[in-house]
Amino acid sequence: MTDETPEAPRKLSPEEEKARKRRNVAIFWSLIGFIVLIFLVTLQRLSANIAAGG
């Protein structure tokens, strides 16, 4: 093991901060879309099972 101290994180430039925020927003909406998709598929499958008498 080495006794190196970890480097302090560097300050992001304004362009990097904007890019990070855009990525975070894209990830957020992707997750919301995935959750809605799973919910709709579940509802469809449940309603199909109820209609089939299950």
Side-chain angles (χ1 to χ4, degrees), residues 10 12-31:
R10 67 179 182 87
L12 297 178
S13 69
E15 295 83 21
E16 290 172 325
E17 288 179 5
K18 281 183 181 181
R20 176 185 280 182
K21 185 172 183 173
R22 281 193 308 268
R23 268 193 312 272
N24 288 343
V25 169
I27 291 170
F28 170 78
W29 285 114
S30 298
L31 286 172

Side-chain angles (χ1 to χ4, degrees), residues 26-46:
I27 291 170
F28 170 78
W29 285 114
S30 298
L31 286 172
I32 294 298
F34 180 71
I35 290 167
V36 169
L37 176 67
I38 296 300
F39 178 72
L40 292 175
V41 167
T42 302
L43 282 180
Q44 189 272 329
R45 292 179 60 123
L46 285 172

Side-chain angles (χ1 to χ4, degrees), residues 1-7:
M1 295 199 43
T2 60
D3 292 330
E4 297 177 14
T5 57
E7 295 181 21

